[in-house]
């Protein structure tokens, strides 16, 4: 019968052999955290390898993702559908065992943790989602949402700023079911961290409102077990278990040093490790008794069966809530969604109100929130400006749950936490900030796109933004930058009708994040036919056609659409027939059939784009023989109206630009 040490050594063997075969990867962390993995996964983690998506499973996140072979080993050994052939192809093309744990590749991987700090920050989102759903669905005697979030993190994650943005909130929120294990081995990619990392990590996390368990021997199963038991008893705050470990433990010549951090050990050292740990088996061979010691299939099925029994009892007593939980965890839209969404857009069009698109967005949120209890809104300290809250929302305050979060000045943390909430399921998170501050969020936004998560960003004060605050607050390059992120749907609507359409698209877009780029200034309402309203979803459509054959096509977005309409009238007086195309979402337009695209942007007709931002992006639509009215330099400080004139967003300049190309 295999001992616990044998079980832990199986992780070491798989990790070093896979890294050696690939000649790429990080063997040190898996070898150093093997005992922690064994204690947690074999004795505490509530999961079911035969159903990785079981609703009430514990979530496990490997934040120090470079040690991915630790997670792949655990998944393989405990019985997930991750066969040895995948372990053997670690880091190779189309392998389920990618360089870092990648969401959507291997079953049981809860999130992608390439950039350090994303994992622990996602974990905060997972734990927050669990707490919010428990508050909404649990009833006396029926704790149907009741699971932990466990996360492994290393020195790099502890240093990363986003970790602290998110972890400070985790303490404030009292996320008692979040338990983190810090792999305190004193080694980072640059070697020993003494001299450039002197934090008292336990004190720092205690100051955030965490419970800290110090100086746990990460190679002593009894010490690890004791620490986990203590952590699980702490229900009003998250716990950081500080585990002292030896990186690359088992390697006679490279353990405890940077030599095993991010490079294969080498064939000679691998052979020495086998002797050191008493592992007599060839590469990628695991004896049956060790598989038996790890196998969690039967236990996992029993855990889920027990929960199913409890959920059946809950369903009988609370059938509506049970049905709603199933819907939300499946990311299904309400049964009457088509009616809801159509009414939202039609009502906005019927009201014909002139307003800033940020205000139109708030109106849309107000209407949608009535039918979408999965909404969890929020803002990075700018709620009153980005208009993301509504009277019906209950604001999270300290440990008190709700459905709207003030994240404070933590844009990056907000984006990463929203990713965790979306990944958990049952929640549709949206978060607002000023458009230019997405630079801080960009990695979290990119991760949402990479993982195909439905997350909505409400980004206000577009184009000139807050002119008086100068170029730091003028996001002239930001919209184009967001458009270059694959699978990021960017909508820059021009009025309430387009805003409502954009919100509907964002809710329906189950496999993409959406950025709503919204104006500070008021925009004119533009009447539309039913056909035009339908065509908004296509991303680009003829808003106002030319009187006769078009001499030029003007493409505009957002607050500049009104300028395009005014310019069309002025051009007509100058004998120029112009077609005005509103293009609120270039991604949606690019997906349309060529026939439709050509019907909007007629081949052979010169084109001019108008957008208060950098112009290079628009070359794909206007070509080298077209022109763009935009901003290609950092600006000055002045009221917005003055800056629009300064940068040439006037009818006179548009007319001049059009005449220069036709």
């Amino acid at each position: 019968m295999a001992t616990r040490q044998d079980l832990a050594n199986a992780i070491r063997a798989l990790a070093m052999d896979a890294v050696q075969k690939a000649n790429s990867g990080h063997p040190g962390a898996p070898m150093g955290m093997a005992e922690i993995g064994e204690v947690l996964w074999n004795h505490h983690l509530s999961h079911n390898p035969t159903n990785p998506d079981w609703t009430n499973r514990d979530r496990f996140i490997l934040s120090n993702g470079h040690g991915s072979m630790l997670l792949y080993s655990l998944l393989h050994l405990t019985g997930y559908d991750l066969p040895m052939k995948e372990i053997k192809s670690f880091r190779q093309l189309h392998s389920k065992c990618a360089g870092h744990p990648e969401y959507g590749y291997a079953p049981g991987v809860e999130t992608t943790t390439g950039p350090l700090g994303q994992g622990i920050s996602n974990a905060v989102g997972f734990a927050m989602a669990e707490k919010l759903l428990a508050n909404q669905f649990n009833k006396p005697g029926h704790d149907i949402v009741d699971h932990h979030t466990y996360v492994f993190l290393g020195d790099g994650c502890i240093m990363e700023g986003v970790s602290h943005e998110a972890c400070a909130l985790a303490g404030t929120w009292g996320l008692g079911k979040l338990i983190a294990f810090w792999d305190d081995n004193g080694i980072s990619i640059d070697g020993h961290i003494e001299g450039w990392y002197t934090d008292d990590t336990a004190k720092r996390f205690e100051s955030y409102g965490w419970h800290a368990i110090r100086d746990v021997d990460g190679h002593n199963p009894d010490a690890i077990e004791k620490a986990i038991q203590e952590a699980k008893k702490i229900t009003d705050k998250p716990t950081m278990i500080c585990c002292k470990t030896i990186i690359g433990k088992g390697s006679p010549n490279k353990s405890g040093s940077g030599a095993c951090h991010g490079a294969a050990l080498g064939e000679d050292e691998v052979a020495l490790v086998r002797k050191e740990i008493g592992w007599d088996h060839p590469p990628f061979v695991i004896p049956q008794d060790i598989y038996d010691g790890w196998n969690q299939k039967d236990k996992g099925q029993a855990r889920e069966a027990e929960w199913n029994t409890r959920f059946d009892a809950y369903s009988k007593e609370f059938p509506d809530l049970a049905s709603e939980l199933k819907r939300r965890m499946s990311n299904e839209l309400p049964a009457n969604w088509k009616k809801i969404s159509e009414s939202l857009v039609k009502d906005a069009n019927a009201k014909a109100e002139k307003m800033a698109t940020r205000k139109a967005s708030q109106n849309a949120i107000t209407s949608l929130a009535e039918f979408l209890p999965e909404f969890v809104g929020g803002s990075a300290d700018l709620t009153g400006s980005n208009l993301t809250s509504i009277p019906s929302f209950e604001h999270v305050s300290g440990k008190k749950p709700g459905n709207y979060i003030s994240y404070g000045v933590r844009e990056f943390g907000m984006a990463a936490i929203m990713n965790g909430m979306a990944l958990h399921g049952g929640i549709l998170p949206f978060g607002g900030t000023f458009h230019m501050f997405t630079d801080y969020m960009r990695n979290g936004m990119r991760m949402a796109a990479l993982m195909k998560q439905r997350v909505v960003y409400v980004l206000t004060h577009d184009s000139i933004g807050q002119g008086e605050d100068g170029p730091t607050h003028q996001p002239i390059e930001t919209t184009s930058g967001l458009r270059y992120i694959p699978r990021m749907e960017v909508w820059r609507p021009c009025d309430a009708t387009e805003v409502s359409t954009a919100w509907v698209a964002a809710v329906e877009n189950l496999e993409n994040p959406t950025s709503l780029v919204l104006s500070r200034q008021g925009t004119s309402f533009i009447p539309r036919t039913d056909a035009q309203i339908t065509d908004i979803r296509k991303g680009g459509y003829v808003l106002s056609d030319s009187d006769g054959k078009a001499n030029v096509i003007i493409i505009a977005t957002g607050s500049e659409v009104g300028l395009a309409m005014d310019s069309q009238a002025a051009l007509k007086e100058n004998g120029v027939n112009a077609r005005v195309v509103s293009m609120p979402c270039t991604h949606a337009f690019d997906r349309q059939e060529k026939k439709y695209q050509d019907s909007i942007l007629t081949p052979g007709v010169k084109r001019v784009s108008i957008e208060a931002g950098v112009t290079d992006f628009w070359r794909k639509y206007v070509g080298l023989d077209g022109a763009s009215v935009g901003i290609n330099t950092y600006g000055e400080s002045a009221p917005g109206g003055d800056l629009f004139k300064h940068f040439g967003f006037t009818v006179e300049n548009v007319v001049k630009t059009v005449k220069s190309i036709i």
Side-chain angles (χ1 to χ4, degrees):
M1 182 177 176
T3 66
R4 296 185 73 168
Q5 190 62 62
D6 293 332
L7 301 182
N9 285 339
I11 296 173
R12 293 189 169 96
L14 286 174
M16 71 177 182
D17 288 337
V19 172
Q20 189 62 41
K21 187 175 186 297
N23 197 29
S24 175
H26 295 70
M31 296 173 73
M33 299 189 79
E35 283 82 11
I36 306 171
E38 192 278 327
V39 175
L40 178 62
W41 277 64
N42 257 343
H43 304 281
H44 291 277
L45 194 72
S46 181
H47 62 124
N48 182 9
T50 59
N51 182 14
D53 298 324
W54 168 38
T55 294
N56 200 46
R57 68 190 183 278
D58 288 342
R59 272 62 169 183
F60 174 82
I61 294 164
L62 183 69
S63 190
N64 45 339
H66 53 262
S68 59
M69 272 308 305
L70 173 62
L71 179 53
Y72 296 139
S73 298
L74 289 165
L75 293 170
H76 171 78
L77 291 166
T78 55
Y80 287 77
D81 185 17
L82 192 67
M84 188 65 81
K85 68 177 183 179
E86 297 293 345
I87 303 292
K88 291 180 179 180
S89 62
F90 173 63
R91 289 197 164 203
Q92 305 308 300
L93 185 64
H94 302 313
S95 173
K96 292 181 180 179
C97 298
H100 288 72
E102 300 285 352
Y103 178 80
Y105 287 66
V109 176
E110 300 284 3
T111 185
T112 299
T113 53
L116 289 177
Q118 279 294 298
I120 179 62
S121 303
N122 287 175
V124 172
F126 275 94
M128 187 58 163
E130 192 273 347
K131 182 170 183 172
L132 297 181
L133 289 171
N135 179 63
Q136 292 175 30
F137 288 99
N138 287 354
K139 297 295 179 183
H142 297 278
D143 291 334
I144 54 149
V145 180
D146 183 15
H147 50 266
H148 285 82
T149 300
Y150 297 99
V151 56
F152 285 1
L153 67 162
D155 294 324
C157 297
I158 291 290
M159 298 175 201
E160 178 56 66
V162 69
S163 301
H164 299 283
E165 289 188 25
C167 289
L169 283 171
T172 299
W173 294 337
L175 300 181
K177 291 181 179 175
L178 173 62
I179 299 175
F181 299 79
W182 170 32
D183 182 30
D184 182 12
N185 58 35
I187 299 292
S188 192
I189 194 113
D190 282 349
H192 292 273
I193 65 176
E194 289 88 354
W196 50 277
Y197 183 77
T198 56
D199 293 14
D200 188 326
T201 297
K203 281 186 179 178
R204 175 181 282 202
F205 276 81
E206 285 174 339
S207 74
Y208 295 156
W210 286 56
H211 176 66
I213 304 175
R214 292 167 165 81
D215 298 323
V216 176
D217 183 348
H219 303 296
N220 183 333
D222 292 335
I224 300 165
E225 173 69 27
K226 182 180 177 183
I228 295 174
Q229 292 284 7
E230 179 180 336
K232 291 169 88 172
K233 291 176 183 176
I234 305 297
T235 59
D236 63 341
K237 59 179 67 177
T239 295
M240 173 68 74
I241 302 175
C242 307
C243 298
K244 293 288 186 180
T245 63
I246 300 170
I247 191 171
K249 183 173 172 54
S251 174
N253 299 305
K254 297 187 177 184
S255 65
S257 74
C260 62
H261 180 277
L265 298 180
E267 295 288 355
D268 292 343
E269 189 68 12
V270 166
L272 292 175
V273 173
R274 280 185 152 75
K275 292 180 180 178
E276 181 76 14
I277 66 176
W279 190 262
D280 300 326
H281 319 291
F284 306 109
V285 173
I286 305 293
Q288 189 59 49
D289 64 331
I290 289 179
Y291 274 130
D292 292 343
W294 273 108
N295 189 1
Q296 290 287 313
K297 286 184 177 180
D298 291 344
K299 294 178 182 177
Q301 290 172 344
R303 295 184 192 108
E304 184 170 356
E306 187 273 335
W307 182 83
N308 286 338
T309 299
R310 289 193 285 120
F311 189 74
D312 288 343
Y314 176 82
S315 300
K316 290 177 182 177
E317 192 167 348
F318 307 100
D320 291 344
L321 283 174
S323 177
E324 179 67 5
L325 181 61
K326 285 181 179 179
R327 179 189 73 78
R328 288 172 56 174
M329 291 302 295
S330 301
N331 270 351
E332 295 177 5
L333 295 170
N336 58 342
W337 172 249
K338 189 173 187 296
K339 182 181 178 181
I340 295 166
S341 58
E342 288 178 351
S343 295
L344 177 70
V345 177
K346 287 180 179 178
D347 288 351
N349 191 63
K351 288 178 180 176
E353 294 176 301
K354 178 181 179 180
M355 65 181 75
T357 53
R358 60 173 174 159
K359 178 59 181 177
S361 171
Q362 186 181 44
N363 291 345
I365 293 169
T366 302
S367 297
L368 290 171
E370 181 181 353
F371 306 100
L372 295 172
E374 54 264 50
F375 262 180
V376 173
S379 177
D381 206 39
L382 293 166
T383 298
S385 292
N386 56 44
L387 304 182
T388 41
S389 187
I390 58 176
S392 67
F393 281 165
E394 184 177 350
H395 284 232
V396 173
S397 179
K399 298 176 182 181
K400 178 175 169 284
N403 59 356
Y404 188 89
I405 299 169
S406 291
Y407 289 91
V409 187
R410 300 183 180 97
E411 295 90 353
F412 195 1
M414 177 179 72
I417 289 168
M418 287 196 298
N419 285 348
M421 287 194 273
L423 286 159
H424 179 280
I427 284 174
L428 200 175
F430 67 87
T433 189
F434 286 1
H435 192 27
M436 59 277 186
F437 300 151
T438 58
D439 287 342
Y440 292 109
M441 301 166 58
R442 195 59 56 91
N443 193 250
M445 301 174 83
R446 179 180 184 270
M447 298 300 289
L450 177 65
M451 296 187 288
K452 304 180 182 179
Q453 292 303 298
R454 182 176 57 166
V455 178
V456 183
Y457 310 100
V458 181
L459 310 174
T460 64
H461 299 64
D462 65 353
S463 65
I464 299 300
Q466 291 181 295
E468 302 90 334
D469 286 335
T472 61
H473 284 55
Q474 296 164 17
I476 59 170
E477 81 284 12
T478 309
T479 304
S480 288
L482 288 176
R483 290 179 178 133
Y484 285 123
I485 300 175
R487 289 200 290 265
M488 173 64 74
E489 296 278 301
V490 179
W491 283 82
R492 189 166 181 252
C494 72
D495 64 5
T497 307
E498 286 193 356
V499 168
S500 298
T501 302
W503 261 109
V504 170
V507 173
E508 292 181 354
N509 204 339
L510 302 180
E511 292 190 350
N512 296 92
T514 301
S515 290
L516 304 177
V517 180
L518 307 172
S519 73
R520 176 193 188 190
Q521 69 271 23
T523 58
S524 299
F525 175 81
I526 302 170
R528 294 172 182 81
T529 65
D530 289 343
Q532 286 176 311
I533 291 173
T534 299
D535 286 346
I536 295 173
R537 285 295 297 270
K538 296 176 181 177
Y541 63 103
V542 178
L543 183 61
S544 179
D545 215 346
S546 59
D547 186 8
K549 184 179 179 181
N551 306 117
V552 67
I553 298 172
I554 301 175
I555 309 167
T557 71
S559 52
E560 288 75 71
V561 169
L563 174 60
M565 295 290 285
D566 293 341
S567 299
Q568 181 191 44
L571 285 164
K572 186 177 180 180
E573 293 177 359
N574 283 265
V576 178
N577 291 328
R579 166 183 285 185
V580 175
V581 170
S582 178
M583 194 173 287
C585 183
T586 61
H587 299 95
F589 184 76
D590 290 347
R591 288 195 299 269
Q592 305 307 310
E593 294 182 353
K594 184 70 161 55
K595 182 179 179 181
Y596 177 80
Q597 293 176 348
D598 287 347
S599 75
I600 306 302
L601 304 179
T602 309
V605 181
K606 297 289 184 66
R607 305 165 191 174
V608 172
S609 68
I610 310 176
E611 184 172 66
V614 294
T615 61
D616 279 357
F617 171 85
W618 290 101
R619 289 293 174 191
K620 65 186 289 188
Y621 299 107
V622 304
L624 296 177
D625 59 347
S628 294
V629 176
I631 308 174
N632 290 314
T633 182
Y634 290 110
E636 299 184 27
S637 185
D642 293 344
L643 286 177
F644 274 108
K645 293 176 184 177
H646 172 77
F647 286 116
F649 291 94
T650 63
V651 170
E652 293 76 16
N653 188 47
V654 174
V655 170
K656 178 183 176 182
T657 303
V658 169
K659 287 184 173 182
S660 72
I661 65 166
I662 61 174

